[in-house]
mmCIF file of all heavy atoms in Angstrom:
data_model
loop_
_atom_site.group_PDB
_atom_site.id
_atom_site.type_symbol
_atom_site.label_atom_id
_atom_site.label_comp_id
_atom_site.label_asym_id
_atom_site.label_seq_id
_atom_site.Cartn_x
_atom_site.Cartn_y
_atom_site.Cartn_z
ATOM 1 N N GLU A 134 25.093 -72.487 14.491
ATOM 2 C CA GLU A 134 25.411 -72.728 13.035
ATOM 3 C C GLU A 134 26.307 -71.631 12.437
ATOM 4 O O GLU A 134 27.203 -71.908 11.707
ATOM 5 C CB GLU A 134 24.098 -72.855 12.295
ATOM 6 C CG GLU A 134 23.314 -74.090 12.638
ATOM 7 C CD GLU A 134 21.881 -74.139 12.002
ATOM 8 O OE1 GLU A 134 21.643 -73.120 11.166
ATOM 9 O OE2 GLU A 134 21.156 -74.941 12.236
ATOM 10 N N ARG A 135 25.993 -70.360 12.801
ATOM 11 C CA ARG A 135 26.750 -69.311 12.225
ATOM 12 C C ARG A 135 28.172 -69.277 12.812
ATOM 13 O O ARG A 135 29.125 -68.850 12.156
ATOM 14 C CB ARG A 135 26.020 -67.967 12.476
ATOM 15 C CG ARG A 135 24.726 -67.861 11.714
ATOM 16 C CD ARG A 135 23.821 -66.712 12.234
ATOM 17 N NE ARG A 135 22.484 -66.758 11.586
ATOM 18 C CZ ARG A 135 21.441 -65.882 11.976
ATOM 19 N NH1 ARG A 135 21.566 -65.159 12.970
ATOM 20 N NH2 ARG A 135 20.352 -66.076 11.272
ATOM 21 N N LEU A 136 28.272 -69.533 14.126
ATOM 22 C CA LEU A 136 29.647 -69.616 14.644
ATOM 23 C C LEU A 136 30.441 -70.671 14.085
ATOM 24 O O LEU A 136 31.586 -70.434 13.658
ATOM 25 C CB LEU A 136 29.492 -69.879 16.227
ATOM 26 C CG LEU A 136 30.824 -70.167 16.958
ATOM 27 C CD1 LEU A 136 31.651 -68.875 17.027
ATOM 28 C CD2 LEU A 136 30.463 -70.691 18.395
ATOM 29 N N LEU A 137 29.889 -71.822 13.847
ATOM 30 C CA LEU A 137 30.701 -72.940 13.275
ATOM 31 C C LEU A 137 30.978 -72.662 11.761
ATOM 32 O O LEU A 137 31.974 -73.159 11.251
ATOM 33 C CB LEU A 137 29.855 -74.253 13.455
ATOM 34 C CG LEU A 137 29.693 -74.756 14.835
ATOM 35 C CD1 LEU A 137 28.840 -76.032 14.850
ATOM 36 C CD2 LEU A 137 30.951 -74.902 15.556
ATOM 37 N N LYS A 138 30.122 -71.943 11.092
ATOM 38 C CA LYS A 138 30.308 -71.565 9.753
ATOM 39 C C LYS A 138 31.636 -70.800 9.556
ATOM 40 O O LYS A 138 32.370 -70.943 8.589
ATOM 41 C CB LYS A 138 29.152 -70.796 9.167
ATOM 42 C CG LYS A 138 29.308 -70.421 7.617
ATOM 43 C CD LYS A 138 28.047 -69.676 7.162
ATOM 44 C CE LYS A 138 28.221 -69.301 5.714
ATOM 45 N NZ LYS A 138 27.032 -68.484 5.273
ATOM 46 N N VAL A 139 31.932 -69.973 10.542
ATOM 47 C CA VAL A 139 33.064 -69.089 10.545
ATOM 48 C C VAL A 139 34.332 -69.802 11.032
ATOM 49 O O VAL A 139 35.401 -69.736 10.485
ATOM 50 C CB VAL A 139 32.813 -67.748 11.231
ATOM 51 C CG1 VAL A 139 34.148 -66.929 11.369
ATOM 52 C CG2 VAL A 139 31.767 -66.975 10.661
ATOM 53 N N MET A 140 34.110 -70.481 12.162
ATOM 54 C CA MET A 140 35.239 -71.045 12.959
ATOM 55 C C MET A 140 35.592 -72.478 12.702
ATOM 56 O O MET A 140 36.591 -72.975 13.187
ATOM 57 C CB MET A 140 34.998 -70.830 14.378
ATOM 58 C CG MET A 140 34.874 -69.362 14.835
ATOM 59 S SD MET A 140 36.266 -68.265 14.368
ATOM 60 C CE MET A 140 37.554 -69.053 15.309
ATOM 61 N N GLY A 141 34.670 -73.189 11.952
ATOM 62 C CA GLY A 141 34.984 -74.573 11.656
ATOM 63 C C GLY A 141 34.289 -75.573 12.543
ATOM 64 O O GLY A 141 33.500 -75.146 13.438
ATOM 65 N N PRO A 142 34.519 -76.860 12.430
ATOM 66 C CA PRO A 142 33.791 -77.856 13.181
ATOM 67 C C PRO A 142 34.007 -77.711 14.727
ATOM 68 O O PRO A 142 35.002 -77.238 15.164
ATOM 69 C CB PRO A 142 34.421 -79.163 12.734
ATOM 70 C CG PRO A 142 34.976 -78.833 11.384
ATOM 71 C CD PRO A 142 35.462 -77.415 11.425
ATOM 72 N N ALA A 143 33.005 -78.185 15.476
ATOM 73 C CA ALA A 143 33.023 -77.974 16.933
ATOM 74 C C ALA A 143 34.362 -78.605 17.565
ATOM 75 O O ALA A 143 34.847 -78.054 18.543
ATOM 76 C CB ALA A 143 31.790 -78.506 17.544
ATOM 77 N N ASP A 144 34.761 -79.755 17.049
ATOM 78 C CA ASP A 144 35.883 -80.398 17.661
ATOM 79 C C ASP A 144 37.210 -79.866 17.368
ATOM 80 O O ASP A 144 38.238 -80.209 17.836
ATOM 81 C CB ASP A 144 35.896 -81.925 17.304
ATOM 82 C CG ASP A 144 35.990 -82.179 15.802
ATOM 83 O OD1 ASP A 144 35.928 -81.133 15.031
ATOM 84 O OD2 ASP A 144 36.079 -83.373 15.406
ATOM 85 N N THR A 145 37.257 -78.722 16.448
ATOM 86 C CA THR A 145 38.523 -78.054 16.204
ATOM 87 C C THR A 145 38.486 -76.652 16.625
ATOM 88 O O THR A 145 39.422 -75.844 16.250
ATOM 89 C CB THR A 145 38.774 -78.104 14.660
ATOM 90 O OG1 THR A 145 37.776 -77.386 13.974
ATOM 91 C CG2 THR A 145 38.757 -79.576 14.159
ATOM 92 N N LEU A 146 37.461 -76.244 17.393
ATOM 93 C CA LEU A 146 37.291 -74.831 17.710
ATOM 94 C C LEU A 146 38.508 -74.245 18.556
ATOM 95 O O LEU A 146 38.899 -73.128 18.292
ATOM 96 C CB LEU A 146 35.997 -74.582 18.505
ATOM 97 C CG LEU A 146 34.730 -74.556 17.549
ATOM 98 C CD1 LEU A 146 33.537 -74.407 18.470
ATOM 99 C CD2 LEU A 146 34.783 -73.560 16.574
ATOM 100 N N GLU A 147 39.016 -75.031 19.484
ATOM 101 C CA GLU A 147 40.028 -74.432 20.336
ATOM 102 C C GLU A 147 41.217 -74.047 19.509
ATOM 103 O O GLU A 147 41.868 -73.009 19.668
ATOM 104 C CB GLU A 147 40.422 -75.431 21.398
ATOM 105 C CG GLU A 147 39.378 -75.565 22.534
ATOM 106 C CD GLU A 147 39.905 -76.243 23.776
ATOM 107 O OE1 GLU A 147 41.086 -76.501 23.776
ATOM 108 O OE2 GLU A 147 39.145 -76.440 24.704
ATOM 109 N N ALA A 148 41.687 -74.896 18.548
ATOM 110 C CA ALA A 148 42.732 -74.575 17.690
ATOM 111 C C ALA A 148 42.442 -73.425 16.777
ATOM 112 O O ALA A 148 43.257 -72.555 16.478
ATOM 113 C CB ALA A 148 43.131 -75.852 16.875
ATOM 114 N N ALA A 149 41.147 -73.389 16.240
ATOM 115 C CA ALA A 149 40.804 -72.263 15.318
ATOM 116 C C ALA A 149 40.778 -70.934 16.067
ATOM 117 O O ALA A 149 41.302 -69.914 15.511
ATOM 118 C CB ALA A 149 39.441 -72.563 14.842
ATOM 119 N N PHE A 150 40.341 -70.854 17.311
ATOM 120 C CA PHE A 150 40.427 -69.587 18.027
ATOM 121 C C PHE A 150 41.797 -69.234 18.332
ATOM 122 O O PHE A 150 42.121 -67.987 18.254
ATOM 123 C CB PHE A 150 39.555 -69.754 19.356
ATOM 124 C CG PHE A 150 38.101 -69.544 19.154
ATOM 125 C CD1 PHE A 150 37.250 -70.684 19.280
ATOM 126 C CD2 PHE A 150 37.546 -68.333 18.980
ATOM 127 C CE1 PHE A 150 35.888 -70.507 19.105
ATOM 128 C CE2 PHE A 150 36.192 -68.176 18.830
ATOM 129 C CZ PHE A 150 35.325 -69.271 18.882
ATOM 130 N N ALA A 151 42.637 -70.176 18.608
ATOM 131 C CA ALA A 151 44.039 -69.858 19.043
ATOM 132 C C ALA A 151 44.795 -69.330 17.977
ATOM 133 O O ALA A 151 45.829 -68.638 18.204
ATOM 134 C CB ALA A 151 44.641 -71.106 19.612
ATOM 135 N N GLU A 152 44.350 -69.517 16.702
ATOM 136 C CA GLU A 152 45.146 -69.028 15.522
ATOM 137 C C GLU A 152 44.789 -67.574 15.178
ATOM 138 O O GLU A 152 45.457 -66.957 14.334
ATOM 139 C CB GLU A 152 44.888 -69.989 14.385
ATOM 140 C CG GLU A 152 45.435 -71.355 14.507
ATOM 141 C CD GLU A 152 45.036 -72.284 13.376
ATOM 142 O OE1 GLU A 152 44.154 -71.782 12.545
ATOM 143 O OE2 GLU A 152 45.527 -73.410 13.329
ATOM 144 N N ARG A 153 43.735 -67.009 15.731
ATOM 145 C CA ARG A 153 43.279 -65.739 15.279
ATOM 146 C C ARG A 153 43.209 -64.732 16.465
ATOM 147 O O ARG A 153 43.116 -65.110 17.634
ATOM 148 C CB ARG A 153 41.861 -65.884 14.674
ATOM 149 C CG ARG A 153 41.798 -66.864 13.516
ATOM 150 C CD ARG A 153 40.429 -67.202 13.018
ATOM 151 N NE ARG A 153 39.927 -66.133 12.224
ATOM 152 C CZ ARG A 153 38.864 -66.294 11.424
ATOM 153 N NH1 ARG A 153 38.216 -67.462 11.410
ATOM 154 N NH2 ARG A 153 38.395 -65.367 10.681
ATOM 155 N N SER A 154 43.274 -63.385 16.198
ATOM 156 C CA SER A 154 43.161 -62.437 17.234
ATOM 157 C C SER A 154 41.742 -62.294 17.697
ATOM 158 O O SER A 154 40.780 -62.653 16.988
ATOM 159 C CB SER A 154 43.693 -61.042 16.722
ATOM 160 O OG SER A 154 42.774 -60.516 15.822
ATOM 161 N N ALA A 155 41.616 -61.828 18.894
ATOM 162 C CA ALA A 155 40.257 -61.672 19.453
ATOM 163 C C ALA A 155 39.371 -60.741 18.622
ATOM 164 O O ALA A 155 38.214 -61.045 18.380
ATOM 165 C CB ALA A 155 40.322 -61.167 20.942
ATOM 166 N N LEU A 156 39.960 -59.661 18.251
ATOM 167 C CA LEU A 156 39.156 -58.637 17.398
ATOM 168 C C LEU A 156 38.827 -59.264 16.057
ATOM 169 O O LEU A 156 37.781 -58.996 15.489
ATOM 170 C CB LEU A 156 39.906 -57.364 17.200
ATOM 171 C CG LEU A 156 40.046 -56.530 18.531
ATOM 172 C CD1 LEU A 156 40.845 -55.227 18.254
ATOM 173 C CD2 LEU A 156 38.602 -56.131 19.145
ATOM 174 N N GLU A 157 39.758 -60.074 15.452
ATOM 175 C CA GLU A 157 39.455 -60.724 14.148
ATOM 176 C C GLU A 157 38.258 -61.660 14.305
ATOM 177 O O GLU A 157 37.347 -61.703 13.472
ATOM 178 C CB GLU A 157 40.631 -61.333 13.706
ATOM 179 C CG GLU A 157 40.469 -62.059 12.386
ATOM 180 C CD GLU A 157 41.728 -62.920 11.931
ATOM 181 O OE1 GLU A 157 42.721 -62.950 12.712
ATOM 182 O OE2 GLU A 157 41.632 -63.557 10.941
ATOM 183 N N VAL A 158 38.261 -62.415 15.400
ATOM 184 C CA VAL A 158 37.131 -63.375 15.623
ATOM 185 C C VAL A 158 35.899 -62.564 15.873
ATOM 186 O O VAL A 158 34.844 -62.941 15.277
ATOM 187 C CB VAL A 158 37.469 -64.247 16.879
ATOM 188 C CG1 VAL A 158 36.226 -65.060 17.204
ATOM 189 C CG2 VAL A 158 38.658 -65.238 16.588
ATOM 190 N N GLU A 159 35.870 -61.584 16.614
ATOM 191 C CA GLU A 159 34.687 -60.785 16.946
ATOM 192 C C GLU A 159 34.044 -60.301 15.636
ATOM 193 O O GLU A 159 32.862 -60.331 15.445
ATOM 194 C CB GLU A 159 35.071 -59.593 17.784
ATOM 195 C CG GLU A 159 33.969 -58.603 18.149
ATOM 196 C CD GLU A 159 34.477 -57.513 19.079
ATOM 197 O OE1 GLU A 159 34.461 -57.597 20.216
ATOM 198 O OE2 GLU A 159 34.834 -56.355 18.455
ATOM 199 N N GLU A 160 34.855 -59.676 14.779
ATOM 200 C CA GLU A 160 34.305 -59.055 13.556
ATOM 201 C C GLU A 160 33.775 -60.195 12.596
ATOM 202 O O GLU A 160 32.777 -60.000 11.950
ATOM 203 C CB GLU A 160 35.344 -58.214 12.879
ATOM 204 C CG GLU A 160 35.662 -56.933 13.645
ATOM 205 C CD GLU A 160 34.419 -56.111 13.873
ATOM 206 O OE1 GLU A 160 33.550 -55.993 12.989
ATOM 207 O OE2 GLU A 160 34.250 -55.552 15.062
ATOM 208 N N ALA A 161 34.615 -61.252 12.452
ATOM 209 C CA ALA A 161 34.250 -62.322 11.522
ATOM 210 C C ALA A 161 32.920 -62.989 11.874
ATOM 211 O O ALA A 161 32.074 -63.299 11.076
ATOM 212 C CB ALA A 161 35.339 -63.326 11.417
ATOM 213 N N VAL A 162 32.776 -63.275 13.181
ATOM 214 C CA VAL A 162 31.598 -64.009 13.633
ATOM 215 C C VAL A 162 30.403 -63.097 13.528
ATOM 216 O O VAL A 162 29.280 -63.524 13.031
ATOM 217 C CB VAL A 162 31.806 -64.511 15.053
ATOM 218 C CG1 VAL A 162 30.518 -65.104 15.621
ATOM 219 C CG2 VAL A 162 32.877 -65.631 15.057
ATOM 220 N N TYR A 163 30.527 -61.837 13.932
ATOM 221 C CA TYR A 163 29.394 -60.854 13.844
ATOM 222 C C TYR A 163 28.979 -60.639 12.382
ATOM 223 O O TYR A 163 27.806 -60.579 12.051
ATOM 224 C CB TYR A 163 29.739 -59.563 14.558
ATOM 225 C CG TYR A 163 29.215 -59.498 15.941
ATOM 226 C CD1 TYR A 163 30.069 -59.632 17.029
ATOM 227 C CD2 TYR A 163 27.833 -59.392 16.197
ATOM 228 C CE1 TYR A 163 29.607 -59.529 18.322
ATOM 229 C CE2 TYR A 163 27.329 -59.312 17.467
ATOM 230 C CZ TYR A 163 28.273 -59.373 18.516
ATOM 231 O OH TYR A 163 27.785 -59.316 19.806
ATOM 232 N N ALA A 164 29.966 -60.649 11.456
ATOM 233 C CA ALA A 164 29.642 -60.416 10.117
ATOM 234 C C ALA A 164 28.832 -61.584 9.509
ATOM 235 O O ALA A 164 28.011 -61.383 8.539
ATOM 236 C CB ALA A 164 30.960 -60.273 9.259
ATOM 237 N N ALA A 165 28.975 -62.757 10.083
ATOM 238 C CA ALA A 165 28.182 -63.906 9.663
ATOM 239 C C ALA A 165 26.861 -64.014 10.461
ATOM 240 O O ALA A 165 26.102 -65.003 10.247
ATOM 241 C CB ALA A 165 28.989 -65.248 9.879
ATOM 242 N N GLY A 166 26.548 -63.138 11.349
ATOM 243 C CA GLY A 166 25.324 -63.117 12.090
ATOM 244 C C GLY A 166 25.413 -63.918 13.311
ATOM 245 O O GLY A 166 24.430 -64.214 13.996
ATOM 246 N N GLY A 167 26.638 -64.332 13.764
ATOM 247 C CA GLY A 167 26.845 -64.999 15.022
ATOM 248 C C GLY A 167 27.191 -64.064 16.160
ATOM 249 O O GLY A 167 27.160 -62.813 15.968
ATOM 250 N N LEU A 168 27.596 -64.595 17.317
ATOM 251 C CA LEU A 168 27.897 -63.777 18.413
ATOM 252 C C LEU A 168 29.210 -64.150 19.093
ATOM 253 O O LEU A 168 29.350 -65.303 19.625
ATOM 254 C CB LEU A 168 26.710 -63.896 19.476
ATOM 255 C CG LEU A 168 25.409 -63.331 18.971
ATOM 256 C CD1 LEU A 168 24.364 -64.382 18.790
ATOM 257 C CD2 LEU A 168 24.915 -62.224 19.928
ATOM 258 N N ALA A 169 30.192 -63.238 19.064
ATOM 259 C CA ALA A 169 31.398 -63.390 19.755
ATOM 260 C C ALA A 169 31.894 -62.025 20.085
ATOM 261 O O ALA A 169 31.829 -61.092 19.227
ATOM 262 C CB ALA A 169 32.425 -64.128 18.805
ATOM 263 N N VAL A 170 32.456 -61.822 21.276
ATOM 264 C CA VAL A 170 32.961 -60.504 21.723
ATOM 265 C C VAL A 170 34.265 -60.644 22.310
ATOM 266 O O VAL A 170 34.496 -61.589 23.181
ATOM 267 C CB VAL A 170 31.926 -59.924 22.746
ATOM 268 C CG1 VAL A 170 32.467 -58.681 23.418
ATOM 269 C CG2 VAL A 170 30.632 -59.520 22.012
ATOM 270 N N ALA A 171 35.186 -59.728 21.965
ATOM 271 C CA ALA A 171 36.541 -59.769 22.552
ATOM 272 C C ALA A 171 36.515 -59.207 23.921
ATOM 273 O O ALA A 171 35.843 -58.319 24.284
ATOM 274 C CB ALA A 171 37.467 -58.926 21.641
ATOM 275 N N LEU A 172 37.367 -59.793 24.833
ATOM 276 C CA LEU A 172 37.567 -59.296 26.186
ATOM 277 C C LEU A 172 38.245 -57.944 26.129
ATOM 278 O O LEU A 172 39.253 -57.766 25.487
ATOM 279 C CB LEU A 172 38.318 -60.295 26.963
ATOM 280 C CG LEU A 172 38.659 -59.859 28.351
ATOM 281 C CD1 LEU A 172 37.381 -59.861 29.212
ATOM 282 C CD2 LEU A 172 39.736 -60.838 28.992
ATOM 283 N N ARG A 173 37.634 -56.970 26.828
ATOM 284 C CA ARG A 173 38.286 -55.593 26.949
ATOM 285 C C ARG A 173 38.359 -55.288 28.394
ATOM 286 O O ARG A 173 37.527 -55.753 29.227
ATOM 287 C CB ARG A 173 37.494 -54.602 26.222
ATOM 288 C CG ARG A 173 37.414 -54.747 24.642
ATOM 289 C CD ARG A 173 36.409 -53.836 24.087
ATOM 290 N NE ARG A 173 36.455 -53.727 22.611
ATOM 291 C CZ ARG A 173 35.934 -54.618 21.832
ATOM 292 N NH1 ARG A 173 35.237 -55.643 22.268
ATOM 293 N NH2 ARG A 173 36.104 -54.495 20.440
#
Side-chain angles (χ1 to χ4, degrees):
E134 292 170 6
R135 294 165 186 172
L136 173 67
L137 296 180
K138 181 179 180 181
V139 174
M140 300 303 297
D144 59 355
T145 66
L146 282 179
E147 288 195 5
F150 279 106
E152 293 173 352
R153 305 171 77 166
S154 73
L156 290 178
E157 181 185 358
V158 171
E159 179 180 271
E160 290 303 319
V162 173
Y163 263 107
L168 293 115
V170 170
L172 177 70
R173 292 170 172 83

